Amino acid sequence: MPILACSLLALQLKGIAFASDLDNSGQTGEHPADNCGKNLPQNSPRISHLNSGDVTYLGLKKTHLFIANSQKILLKQSTQDTQFDVRTQALANRLLSLEYQNFSGSTTLTGEANMVIGGAPNYHQTNGTSNNATTFNYDLRLFLDSSYTGQDLLRIRLRSDNFNKFPFGSSNSNIFKLVKASNNDTGLRADRIYYRFPLGEQWKLTIAAKIQISDAYDFKPTVYDSQILDLFNLAGAAGLYNKTIGPGIAASWKQHVTQGRPYWTASASFIAGDNATDSDYGLFNQQSALNGNLQVGLRSENWGLAVGYRRGTDGTRVADGNGTAGATLGYGEYANNLGISGYWQPLKSNWTPSISLGYGYTQIDSNDGSPPDSQSWVLGVQWNDVFASGNAAGFGIGQPPNATGEGKKAWLFELFYRQRLSDNISTTAALFMGTNAAQTAESSNWGGVIQTQFRF
């Protein structure tokens, strides 16, 4: 009977963790029945005295205890899981809140800050005002670019700068206008708002609340890049690639060819000027300084050529270096601008420079012959990777728009060296000289700047 009782107990409690005495005996190689009752406390009844009913009762009692303990453990684990779920949901809600406050995943913010110290020691206006002191100015540009399909672009550019009109500001009346100088507006303003998206495989359409004419062209036919004097940034055709900003629409086309082969480009745009946002005039009134622009270009891996045409209505301004500088067209007057520009550059940087050359002609349809027709041209020569990768040096020479048949012709010269201090910081030192400018009292003027650029 004892052996039978122990066997029954072993069978009922097999595999349950509380039967440690059975487990310990199993490690010795003995049968559980052999050790039955050996490890019981001295004052406990011996297993040999138990009947089958007692054995069943003890097995059920311990089973119930095991189940109760398991339920407690599961309840505690369930409570911990619930608390974890609550914390996870709170974290998800917090992340969602932060996402609502952040840019979309397709939006990037980049920036450019320029600090410019310089002056023109003998700069005097024709009215006797002197603008010859050294100045320290800044230009800040922030680019918010978003894409919704991976092929489109929504661009918003914010800008602030503090340049005065003379000697470095106002592109229509100043021979020393800098690329980084604007209109002396220290407040942060939006000066670009446009959306560009593809139409098929070869076309792109741009709809703009605010865009510059030069942004509407798909191809800028110059590789001269001093980023100092504005004239040398306009591919020689100051009237064609001018700085008018306003609402409009533009379309561009690019030929698809085998990689490495020359391809054609074409652009067309309609951009209104100052009065387009005024309901007294509107977007399509000729007094809203309307600009119709066309360009056709041919590009290759290391050279390019483009021909362009622009027609401007009254309200548009005419740059004229030796005559009526900054003149605004009157009612019923039109400007017709033609330009041809091109460049060549070596396939690899070496001591052979790139060469950029451009010419522009402006013909005015007016009632009294004023402002007169004018023409301009520039030559830019540039060496890349001078002494170190990322450095550049070069010079530019040319004539700003000169009125045909009027007085002496204005000339402009520029010499620069740019050193890259890091991937995002560079410093450019430049000297320049201008002669026979209509807005200065002297026959010649010179100046210089040190321009440091930070990109982020």
Side-chain angles (χ1 to χ4, degrees):
M1 180 65 186
I3 295 175
L4 177 61
C6 288
S7 299
L8 290 172
L9 181 62
L11 289 172
Q12 290 183 26
L13 303 181
K14 183 178 180 181
I16 301 177
F18 61 76
S20 58
D21 55 327
L22 300 182
D23 289 73
N24 292 335
S25 66
Q27 293 176 2
T28 62
E30 299 176 347
H31 193 279
D34 298 335
N35 292 325
C36 184
K38 292 182 180 181
N39 297 325
L40 292 176
Q42 294 180 359
N43 58 354
S44 64
R46 302 294 295 177
I47 266 186
S48 59
H49 297 160
L50 297 177
N51 56 33
S52 62
D54 295 331
V55 171
T56 303
Y57 171 77
L58 288 175
L60 292 175
K61 184 176 182 180
K62 290 191 175 183
T63 302
H64 289 159
L65 289 174
F66 174 76
I67 293 173
N69 290 333
S70 299
Q71 289 177 337
K72 289 180 182 180
I73 294 173
L74 291 174
L75 180 61
K76 183 178 180 181
Q77 184 65 38
S78 177
T79 302
Q80 293 177 347
D81 289 344
T82 300
Q83 294 175 347
F84 177 77
D85 290 341
V86 170
R87 293 192 185 100
T88 302
Q89 186 61 43
L91 180 59
N93 293 337
R94 178 59 178 163
L95 290 174
L96 185 61
S97 175
L98 291 175
E99 183 178 346
Y100 287 149
Q101 301 174 28
N102 204 351
F103 297 124
S104 71
S106 62
T107 300
T108 61
L109 170 63
T110 57
E112 175 187 308
N114 297 277
M115 297 190 299
V116 183
I117 183 171
N122 66 331
Y123 195 100
H124 302 278
Q125 299 180 47
T126 54
N127 61 8
T129 303
S130 297
N131 304 99
N132 54 5
T134 300
T135 61
F136 197 167
N137 302 97
Y138 75 88
D139 172 62
L140 173 65
R141 309 178 187 201
L142 302 176
F143 299 84
L144 286 167
D145 291 339
S146 296
S147 179
Y148 304 97
T149 66
Q151 295 180 322
D152 59 342
L153 171 66
L154 171 65
R155 167 159 290 183
I156 300 174
R157 191 177 85 171
L158 306 178
R159 188 176 181 184
S160 176
D161 69 281
N162 65 345
F163 285 88
N164 288 323
K165 186 174 183 179
F166 295 100
F168 298 136
S170 183
S171 61
N172 289 305
S173 60
N174 190 2
I175 196 172
F176 287 159
K177 164 70 170 66
L178 298 180
V179 172
K180 302 303 181 183
S182 183
N183 60 352
N184 191 30
D185 187 352
T186 57
L188 191 63
R189 64 194 185 277
D191 74 341
R192 300 286 194 282
I193 304 176
Y194 62 83
Y195 180 60
R196 179 172 292 154
F197 57 94
L199 289 176
E201 295 184 355
Q202 299 184 355
W203 287 89
K204 289 184 179 180
L205 184 67
T206 302
I207 300 175
K210 210 167 190 180
I211 192 171
Q212 191 177 87
I213 286 181
S214 58
D215 295 324
Y217 291 112
D218 189 59
F219 174 32
K220 187 175 181 180
T222 179
V223 290
Y224 182 77
D225 189 33
S226 68
Q227 299 187 38
I228 301 297
L229 291 182
D230 191 57
L231 176 69
F232 297 106
N233 191 52
L234 303 176
L240 179 65
Y241 301 104
N242 67 60
K243 297 298 185 72
T244 297
I245 296 177
I249 187 170
S252 61
W253 171 81
K254 177 182 176 181
Q255 182 188 20
H256 281 191
V257 298
T258 305
Q259 186 175 2
R261 294 179 61 86
Y263 60 91
W264 290 94
T265 67
S267 300
S269 61
F270 168 83
I271 298 175
D274 297 335
N275 294 329
T277 57
D278 187 341
S279 60
D280 290 340
Y281 298 93
L283 183 62
F284 303 106
N285 191 306
Q286 71 176 37
Q287 297 181 61
S288 296
L290 306 182
N291 297 267
N293 313 283
L294 296 171
Q295 185 202 62
V296 176
L298 179 62
R299 302 182 65 175
S300 185
E301 188 174 359
N302 67 322
W303 58 267
L305 179 69
V307 178
Y309 169 76
R310 166 187 169 267
R311 182 171 174 83
T313 68
D314 50 281
T316 57
R317 289 183 289 272
V318 179
D320 193 343
N322 75 330
T324 52
T328 300
L329 295 182
Y331 182 78
E333 296 181 334
Y334 298 90
N336 297 287
N337 301 101
L338 294 171
I340 179 169
S341 308
Y343 67 86
W344 176 90
Q345 61 182 343
L347 291 174
K348 293 183 179 180
S349 297
N350 51 47
W351 287 105
T352 303
S354 65
I355 299 175
S356 300
L357 182 64
Y359 171 81
Y361 184 83
T362 299
Q363 185 267 329
I364 306 296
D365 289 333
S366 64
N367 299 323
D368 57 3
S370 178
D373 299 346
S374 61
Q375 55 186 339
S376 62
W377 66 272
V378 297
L379 169 66
V381 179
Q382 179 172 319
W383 291 265
N384 292 324
D385 297 334
V386 179
F387 304 125
S389 177
N391 296 350
F395 66 88
I397 181 174
Q399 291 182 302
N402 283 309
T404 57
E406 284 195 14
K408 296 181 178 180
K409 306 305 181 186
W411 285 78
L412 198 58
F413 308 87
E414 174 187 80
L415 178 67
F416 81 94
Y417 176 74
R418 180 168 57 246
Q419 182 172 0
R420 188 180 72 171
L421 304 178
S422 71
D423 289 342
N424 296 307
I425 304 175
S426 64
T427 295
T428 304
L431 293 173
F432 38 81
M433 184 179 71
T435 65
N436 302 320
Q439 69 274 22
T440 61
E442 290 77 17
S443 60
S444 64
N445 294 270
W446 69 277
V449 297
I450 297 176
Q451 177 174 288
T452 303
Q453 183 180 90
F454 303 86
R455 294 182 180 271
F456 52 92

mmCIF file with all atom_site columns, all heavy atoms in Angstrom, residues 235-238 240-241 338-342 357-362 374-378:
data_model
loop_
_atom_site.group_PDB
_atom_site.id
_atom_site.type_symbol
_atom_site.label_atom_id
_atom_site.label_alt_id
_atom_site.label_comp_id
_atom_site.label_asym_id
_atom_site.label_entity_id
_atom_site.label_seq_id
_atom_site.pdbx_PDB_ins_code
_atom_site.Cartn_x
_atom_site.Cartn_y
_atom_site.Cartn_z
_atom_site.occupancy
_atom_site.B_iso_or_equiv
_atom_site.pdbx_formal_charge
_atom_site.auth_seq_id
_atom_site.auth_comp_id
_atom_site.auth_asym_id
_atom_site.auth_atom_id
_atom_site.pdbx_PDB_model_num
ATOM 1   N N   . ALA A 1 235 ? 24.924 87.471  -67.143 1.00 0.00 ? 235 ALA A N   1
ATOM 2   C CA  . ALA A 1 235 ? 25.295 86.878  -68.441 1.00 0.00 ? 235 ALA A CA  1
ATOM 3   C C   . ALA A 1 235 ? 25.420 87.919  -69.542 1.00 0.00 ? 235 ALA A C   1
ATOM 4   O O   . ALA A 1 235 ? 25.179 87.625  -70.713 1.00 0.00 ? 235 ALA A O   1
ATOM 5   C CB  . ALA A 1 235 ? 24.285 85.810  -68.844 1.00 0.00 ? 235 ALA A CB  1
ATOM 6   N N   . GLY A 1 236 ? 25.794 89.145  -69.189 1.00 0.00 ? 236 GLY A N   1
ATOM 7   C CA  . GLY A 1 236 ? 26.038 90.184  -70.183 1.00 0.00 ? 236 GLY A CA  1
ATOM 8   C C   . GLY A 1 236 ? 24.805 90.898  -70.689 1.00 0.00 ? 236 GLY A C   1
ATOM 9   O O   . GLY A 1 236 ? 24.913 91.954  -71.307 1.00 0.00 ? 236 GLY A O   1
ATOM 10  N N   . ALA A 1 237 ? 23.612 90.345  -70.456 1.00 0.00 ? 237 ALA A N   1
ATOM 11  C CA  . ALA A 1 237 ? 22.368 90.921  -70.968 1.00 0.00 ? 237 ALA A CA  1
ATOM 12  C C   . ALA A 1 237 ? 21.536 91.427  -69.788 1.00 0.00 ? 237 ALA A C   1
ATOM 13  O O   . ALA A 1 237 ? 20.624 90.751  -69.301 1.00 0.00 ? 237 ALA A O   1
ATOM 14  C CB  . ALA A 1 237 ? 21.593 89.894  -71.772 1.00 0.00 ? 237 ALA A CB  1
ATOM 15  N N   . ALA A 1 238 ? 21.877 92.632  -69.312 1.00 0.00 ? 238 ALA A N   1
ATOM 16  C CA  . ALA A 1 238 ? 21.245 93.166  -68.110 1.00 0.00 ? 238 ALA A CA  1
ATOM 17  C C   . ALA A 1 238 ? 19.754 93.387  -68.280 1.00 0.00 ? 238 ALA A C   1
ATOM 18  O O   . ALA A 1 238 ? 18.979 93.257  -67.324 1.00 0.00 ? 238 ALA A O   1
ATOM 19  C CB  . ALA A 1 238 ? 21.930 94.470  -67.705 1.00 0.00 ? 238 ALA A CB  1
ATOM 20  N N   . LEU A 1 240 ? 17.709 91.616  -70.333 1.00 0.00 ? 240 LEU A N   1
ATOM 21  C CA  . LEU A 1 240 ? 17.040 90.331  -70.480 1.00 0.00 ? 240 LEU A CA  1
ATOM 22  C C   . LEU A 1 240 ? 16.938 89.594  -69.153 1.00 0.00 ? 240 LEU A C   1
ATOM 23  O O   . LEU A 1 240 ? 15.859 89.118  -68.770 1.00 0.00 ? 240 LEU A O   1
ATOM 24  C CB  . LEU A 1 240 ? 17.786 89.475  -71.503 1.00 0.00 ? 240 LEU A CB  1
ATOM 25  C CG  . LEU A 1 240 ? 17.240 88.077  -71.758 1.00 0.00 ? 240 LEU A CG  1
ATOM 26  C CD1 . LEU A 1 240 ? 15.853 88.139  -72.373 1.00 0.00 ? 240 LEU A CD1 1
ATOM 27  C CD2 . LEU A 1 240 ? 18.200 87.290  -72.651 1.00 0.00 ? 240 LEU A CD2 1
ATOM 28  N N   . TYR A 1 241 ? 18.052 89.474  -68.436 1.00 0.00 ? 241 TYR A N   1
ATOM 29  C CA  . TYR A 1 241 ? 18.083 88.746  -67.170 1.00 0.00 ? 241 TYR A CA  1
ATOM 30  C C   . TYR A 1 241 ? 17.994 89.739  -66.006 1.00 0.00 ? 241 TYR A C   1
ATOM 31  O O   . TYR A 1 241 ? 18.857 89.769  -65.122 1.00 0.00 ? 241 TYR A O   1
ATOM 32  C CB  . TYR A 1 241 ? 19.357 87.904  -67.073 1.00 0.00 ? 241 TYR A CB  1
ATOM 33  C CG  . TYR A 1 241 ? 19.483 86.896  -68.185 1.00 0.00 ? 241 TYR A CG  1
ATOM 34  C CD1 . TYR A 1 241 ? 20.352 87.107  -69.254 1.00 0.00 ? 241 TYR A CD1 1
ATOM 35  C CD2 . TYR A 1 241 ? 18.720 85.740  -68.180 1.00 0.00 ? 241 TYR A CD2 1
ATOM 36  C CE1 . TYR A 1 241 ? 20.465 86.190  -70.285 1.00 0.00 ? 241 TYR A CE1 1
ATOM 37  C CE2 . TYR A 1 241 ? 18.826 84.808  -69.214 1.00 0.00 ? 241 TYR A CE2 1
ATOM 38  C CZ  . TYR A 1 241 ? 19.698 85.034  -70.256 1.00 0.00 ? 241 TYR A CZ  1
ATOM 39  O OH  . TYR A 1 241 ? 19.804 84.116  -71.281 1.00 0.00 ? 241 TYR A OH  1
ATOM 40  N N   . LEU A 1 338 ? 17.110 91.881  -76.280 1.00 0.00 ? 338 LEU A N   1
ATOM 41  C CA  . LEU A 1 338 ? 17.685 90.691  -76.896 1.00 0.00 ? 338 LEU A CA  1
ATOM 42  C C   . LEU A 1 338 ? 18.983 90.342  -76.187 1.00 0.00 ? 338 LEU A C   1
ATOM 43  O O   . LEU A 1 338 ? 19.724 91.241  -75.747 1.00 0.00 ? 338 LEU A O   1
ATOM 44  C CB  . LEU A 1 338 ? 17.955 90.926  -78.375 1.00 0.00 ? 338 LEU A CB  1
ATOM 45  C CG  . LEU A 1 338 ? 16.740 91.135  -79.273 1.00 0.00 ? 338 LEU A CG  1
ATOM 46  C CD1 . LEU A 1 338 ? 17.187 91.572  -80.663 1.00 0.00 ? 338 LEU A CD1 1
ATOM 47  C CD2 . LEU A 1 338 ? 15.906 89.861  -79.355 1.00 0.00 ? 338 LEU A CD2 1
ATOM 48  N N   . GLY A 1 339 ? 19.281 89.061  -76.092 1.00 0.00 ? 339 GLY A N   1
ATOM 49  C CA  . GLY A 1 339 ? 20.524 88.654  -75.462 1.00 0.00 ? 339 GLY A CA  1
ATOM 50  C C   . GLY A 1 339 ? 21.034 87.347  -76.022 1.00 0.00 ? 339 GLY A C   1
ATOM 51  O O   . GLY A 1 339 ? 20.241 86.453  -76.365 1.00 0.00 ? 339 GLY A O   1
ATOM 52  N N   . ILE A 1 340 ? 22.344 87.238  -76.125 1.00 0.00 ? 340 ILE A N   1
ATOM 53  C CA  . ILE A 1 340 ? 22.989 85.989  -76.517 1.00 0.00 ? 340 ILE A CA  1
ATOM 54  C C   . ILE A 1 340 ? 24.189 85.785  -75.602 1.00 0.00 ? 340 ILE A C   1
ATOM 55  O O   . ILE A 1 340 ? 25.016 86.695  -75.437 1.00 0.00 ? 340 ILE A O   1
ATOM 56  C CB  . ILE A 1 340 ? 23.406 85.990  -78.004 1.00 0.00 ? 340 ILE A CB  1
ATOM 57  C CG1 . ILE A 1 340 ? 24.099 84.659  -78.347 1.00 0.00 ? 340 ILE A CG1 1
ATOM 58  C CG2 . ILE A 1 340 ? 24.258 87.190  -78.361 1.00 0.00 ? 340 ILE A CG2 1
ATOM 59  C CD1 . ILE A 1 340 ? 24.303 84.451  -79.831 1.00 0.00 ? 340 ILE A CD1 1
ATOM 60  N N   . SER A 1 341 ? 24.256 84.629  -74.978 1.00 0.00 ? 341 SER A N   1
ATOM 61  C CA  . SER A 1 341 ? 25.304 84.362  -73.986 1.00 0.00 ? 341 SER A CA  1
ATOM 62  C C   . SER A 1 341 ? 25.746 82.911  -74.096 1.00 0.00 ? 341 SER A C   1
ATOM 63  O O   . SER A 1 341 ? 24.963 82.039  -74.491 1.00 0.00 ? 341 SER A O   1
ATOM 64  C CB  . SER A 1 341 ? 24.795 84.642  -72.567 1.00 0.00 ? 341 SER A CB  1
ATOM 65  O OG  . SER A 1 341 ? 24.218 85.928  -72.464 1.00 0.00 ? 341 SER A OG  1
ATOM 66  N N   . GLY A 1 342 ? 26.986 82.676  -73.719 1.00 0.00 ? 342 GLY A N   1
ATOM 67  C CA  . GLY A 1 342 ? 27.503 81.312  -73.752 1.00 0.00 ? 342 GLY A CA  1
ATOM 68  C C   . GLY A 1 342 ? 28.729 81.160  -72.883 1.00 0.00 ? 342 GLY A C   1
ATOM 69  O O   . GLY A 1 342 ? 29.289 82.144  -72.368 1.00 0.00 ? 342 GLY A O   1
ATOM 70  N N   . LEU A 1 357 ? 30.846 84.583  -71.865 1.00 0.00 ? 357 LEU A N   1
ATOM 71  C CA  . LEU A 1 357 ? 30.729 85.799  -72.670 1.00 0.00 ? 357 LEU A CA  1
ATOM 72  C C   . LEU A 1 357 ? 29.257 86.040  -72.969 1.00 0.00 ? 357 LEU A C   1
ATOM 73  O O   . LEU A 1 357 ? 28.518 85.113  -73.292 1.00 0.00 ? 357 LEU A O   1
ATOM 74  C CB  . LEU A 1 357 ? 31.508 85.639  -73.971 1.00 0.00 ? 357 LEU A CB  1
ATOM 75  C CG  . LEU A 1 357 ? 31.539 86.822  -74.931 1.00 0.00 ? 357 LEU A CG  1
ATOM 76  C CD1 . LEU A 1 357 ? 32.245 88.013  -74.300 1.00 0.00 ? 357 LEU A CD1 1
ATOM 77  C CD2 . LEU A 1 357 ? 32.227 86.431  -76.240 1.00 0.00 ? 357 LEU A CD2 1
ATOM 78  N N   . GLY A 1 358 ? 28.835 87.304  -72.823 1.00 0.00 ? 358 GLY A N   1
ATOM 79  C CA  . GLY A 1 358 ? 27.437 87.608  -73.084 1.00 0.00 ? 358 GLY A CA  1
ATOM 80  C C   . GLY A 1 358 ? 27.242 89.014  -73.622 1.00 0.00 ? 358 GLY A C   1
ATOM 81  O O   . GLY A 1 358 ? 28.027 89.930  -73.332 1.00 0.00 ? 358 GLY A O   1
ATOM 82  N N   . TYR A 1 359 ? 26.186 89.198  -74.408 1.00 0.00 ? 359 TYR A N   1
ATOM 83  C CA  . TYR A 1 359 ? 25.876 90.491  -75.015 1.00 0.00 ? 359 TYR A CA  1
ATOM 84  C C   . TYR A 1 359 ? 24.368 90.731  -74.947 1.00 0.00 ? 359 TYR A C   1
ATOM 85  O O   . TYR A 1 359 ? 23.562 89.807  -75.132 1.00 0.00 ? 359 TYR A O   1
ATOM 86  C CB  . TYR A 1 359 ? 26.333 90.523  -76.471 1.00 0.00 ? 359 TYR A CB  1
ATOM 87  C CG  . TYR A 1 359 ? 25.856 91.733  -77.247 1.00 0.00 ? 359 TYR A CG  1
ATOM 88  C CD1 . TYR A 1 359 ? 26.519 92.954  -77.151 1.00 0.00 ? 359 TYR A CD1 1
ATOM 89  C CD2 . TYR A 1 359 ? 24.716 91.647  -78.059 1.00 0.00 ? 359 TYR A CD2 1
ATOM 90  C CE1 . TYR A 1 359 ? 26.078 94.069  -77.865 1.00 0.00 ? 359 TYR A CE1 1
ATOM 91  C CE2 . TYR A 1 359 ? 24.274 92.749  -78.779 1.00 0.00 ? 359 TYR A CE2 1
ATOM 92  C CZ  . TYR A 1 359 ? 24.951 93.952  -78.667 1.00 0.00 ? 359 TYR A CZ  1
ATOM 93  O OH  . TYR A 1 359 ? 24.497 95.060  -79.356 1.00 0.00 ? 359 TYR A OH  1
ATOM 94  N N   . GLY A 1 360 ? 23.985 91.977  -74.672 1.00 0.00 ? 360 GLY A N   1
ATOM 95  C CA  . GLY A 1 360 ? 22.575 92.318  -74.626 1.00 0.00 ? 360 GLY A CA  1
ATOM 96  C C   . GLY A 1 360 ? 22.288 93.641  -75.312 1.00 0.00 ? 360 GLY A C   1
ATOM 97  O O   . GLY A 1 360 ? 23.117 94.559  -75.299 1.00 0.00 ? 360 GLY A O   1
ATOM 98  N N   . TYR A 1 361 ? 21.111 93.731  -75.923 1.00 0.00 ? 361 TYR A N   1
ATOM 99  C CA  . TYR A 1 361 ? 20.699 94.965  -76.603 1.00 0.00 ? 361 TYR A CA  1
ATOM 100 C C   . TYR A 1 361 ? 19.276 95.303  -76.176 1.00 0.00 ? 361 TYR A C   1
ATOM 101 O O   . TYR A 1 361 ? 18.398 94.424  -76.124 1.00 0.00 ? 361 TYR A O   1
ATOM 102 C CB  . TYR A 1 361 ? 20.763 94.801  -78.122 1.00 0.00 ? 361 TYR A CB  1
ATOM 103 C CG  . TYR A 1 361 ? 20.442 96.072  -78.880 1.00 0.00 ? 361 TYR A CG  1
ATOM 104 C CD1 . TYR A 1 361 ? 21.417 97.039  -79.099 1.00 0.00 ? 361 TYR A CD1 1
ATOM 105 C CD2 . TYR A 1 361 ? 19.150 96.305  -79.376 1.00 0.00 ? 361 TYR A CD2 1
ATOM 106 C CE1 . TYR A 1 361 ? 21.123 98.206  -79.791 1.00 0.00 ? 361 TYR A CE1 1
ATOM 107 C CE2 . TYR A 1 361 ? 18.855 97.474  -80.073 1.00 0.00 ? 361 TYR A CE2 1
ATOM 108 C CZ  . TYR A 1 361 ? 19.848 98.420  -80.269 1.00 0.00 ? 361 TYR A CZ  1
ATOM 109 O OH  . TYR A 1 361 ? 19.554 99.579  -80.945 1.00 0.00 ? 361 TYR A OH  1
ATOM 110 N N   . THR A 1 362 ? 19.026 96.574  -75.876 1.00 0.00 ? 362 THR A N   1
ATOM 111 C CA  . THR A 1 362 ? 17.710 97.050  -75.473 1.00 0.00 ? 362 THR A CA  1
ATOM 112 C C   . THR A 1 362 ? 17.222 98.110  -76.449 1.00 0.00 ? 362 THR A C   1
ATOM 113 O O   . THR A 1 362 ? 17.887 99.139  -76.635 1.00 0.00 ? 362 THR A O   1
ATOM 114 C CB  . THR A 1 362 ? 17.746 97.638  -74.047 1.00 0.00 ? 362 THR A CB  1
ATOM 115 O OG1 . THR A 1 362 ? 18.143 96.620  -73.121 1.00 0.00 ? 362 THR A OG1 1
ATOM 116 C CG2 . THR A 1 362 ? 16.374 98.172  -73.646 1.00 0.00 ? 362 THR A CG2 1
ATOM 117 N N   . SER A 1 374 ? 20.063 100.964 -75.756 1.00 0.00 ? 374 SER A N   1
ATOM 118 C CA  . SER A 1 374 ? 21.337 100.729 -75.076 1.00 0.00 ? 374 SER A CA  1
ATOM 119 C C   . SER A 1 374 ? 21.817 99.313  -75.332 1.00 0.00 ? 374 SER A C   1
ATOM 120 O O   . SER A 1 374 ? 21.052 98.455  -75.789 1.00 0.00 ? 374 SER A O   1
ATOM 121 C CB  . SER A 1 374 ? 21.196 100.963 -73.566 1.00 0.00 ? 374 SER A CB  1
ATOM 122 O OG  . SER A 1 374 ? 20.248 100.065 -73.003 1.00 0.00 ? 374 SER A OG  1
ATOM 123 N N   . GLN A 1 375 ? 23.082 99.072  -75.019 1.00 0.00 ? 375 GLN A N   1
ATOM 124 C CA  . GLN A 1 375 ? 23.657 97.742  -75.171 1.00 0.00 ? 375 GLN A CA  1
ATOM 125 C C   . GLN A 1 375 ? 24.681 97.497  -74.077 1.00 0.00 ? 375 GLN A C   1
ATOM 126 O O   . GLN A 1 375 ? 25.245 98.436  -73.503 1.00 0.00 ? 375 GLN A O   1
ATOM 127 C CB  . GLN A 1 375 ? 24.298 97.582  -76.539 1.00 0.00 ? 375 GLN A CB  1
ATOM 128 C CG  . GLN A 1 375 ? 25.329 98.622  -76.888 1.00 0.00 ? 375 GLN A CG  1
ATOM 129 C CD  . GLN A 1 375 ? 25.811 98.485  -78.325 1.00 0.00 ? 375 GLN A CD  1
ATOM 130 O OE1 . GLN A 1 375 ? 25.689 97.430  -78.941 1.00 0.00 ? 375 GLN A OE1 1
ATOM 131 N NE2 . GLN A 1 375 ? 26.371 99.553  -78.879 1.00 0.00 ? 375 GLN A NE2 1
ATOM 132 N N   . SER A 1 376 ? 24.931 96.222  -73.785 1.00 0.00 ? 376 SER A N   1
ATOM 133 C CA  . SER A 1 376 ? 25.873 95.837  -72.733 1.00 0.00 ? 376 SER A CA  1
ATOM 134 C C   . SER A 1 376 ? 26.566 94.535  -73.123 1.00 0.00 ? 376 SER A C   1
ATOM 135 O O   . SER A 1 376 ? 26.072 93.780  -73.970 1.00 0.00 ? 376 SER A O   1
ATOM 136 C CB  . SER A 1 376 ? 25.140 95.666  -71.395 1.00 0.00 ? 376 SER A CB  1
ATOM 137 O OG  . SER A 1 376 ? 24.173 94.618  -71.488 1.00 0.00 ? 376 SER A OG  1
ATOM 138 N N   . TRP A 1 377 ? 27.693 94.278  -72.471 1.00 0.00 ? 377 TRP A N   1
ATOM 139 C CA  . TRP A 1 377 ? 28.390 93.006  -72.676 1.00 0.00 ? 377 TRP A CA  1
ATOM 140 C C   . TRP A 1 377 ? 29.335 92.749  -71.506 1.00 0.00 ? 377 TRP A C   1
ATOM 141 O O   . TRP A 1 377 ? 29.740 93.689  -70.798 1.00 0.00 ? 377 TRP A O   1
ATOM 142 C CB  . TRP A 1 377 ? 29.178 92.983  -73.987 1.00 0.00 ? 377 TRP A CB  1
ATOM 143 C CG  . TRP A 1 377 ? 30.341 93.960  -74.026 1.00 0.00 ? 377 TRP A CG  1
ATOM 144 C CD1 . TRP A 1 377 ? 30.310 95.254  -74.414 1.00 0.00 ? 377 TRP A CD1 1
ATOM 145 C CD2 . TRP A 1 377 ? 31.686 93.677  -73.629 1.00 0.00 ? 377 TRP A CD2 1
ATOM 146 N NE1 . TRP A 1 377 ? 31.550 95.826  -74.295 1.00 0.00 ? 377 TRP A NE1 1
ATOM 147 C CE2 . TRP A 1 377 ? 32.422 94.875  -73.824 1.00 0.00 ? 377 TRP A CE2 1
ATOM 148 C CE3 . TRP A 1 377 ? 32.359 92.564  -73.142 1.00 0.00 ? 377 TRP A CE3 1
ATOM 149 C CZ2 . TRP A 1 377 ? 33.791 94.979  -73.528 1.00 0.00 ? 377 TRP A CZ2 1
ATOM 150 C CZ3 . TRP A 1 377 ? 33.717 92.655  -72.856 1.00 0.00 ? 377 TRP A CZ3 1
ATOM 151 C CH2 . TRP A 1 377 ? 34.411 93.852  -73.051 1.00 0.00 ? 377 TRP A CH2 1
ATOM 152 N N   . VAL A 1 378 ? 29.676 91.488  -71.264 1.00 0.00 ? 378 VAL A N   1
ATOM 153 C CA  . VAL A 1 378 ? 30.650 91.135  -70.218 1.00 0.00 ? 378 VAL A CA  1
ATOM 154 C C   . VAL A 1 378 ? 31.453 89.919  -70.675 1.00 0.00 ? 378 VAL A C   1
ATOM 155 O O   . VAL A 1 378 ? 30.987 89.085  -71.455 1.00 0.00 ? 378 VAL A O   1
ATOM 156 C CB  . VAL A 1 378 ? 29.989 90.808  -68.857 1.00 0.00 ? 378 VAL A CB  1
ATOM 157 C CG1 . VAL A 1 378 ? 29.259 92.014  -68.288 1.00 0.00 ? 378 VAL A CG1 1
ATOM 158 C CG2 . VAL A 1 378 ? 29.079 89.608  -68.963 1.00 0.00 ? 378 VAL A CG2 1
#
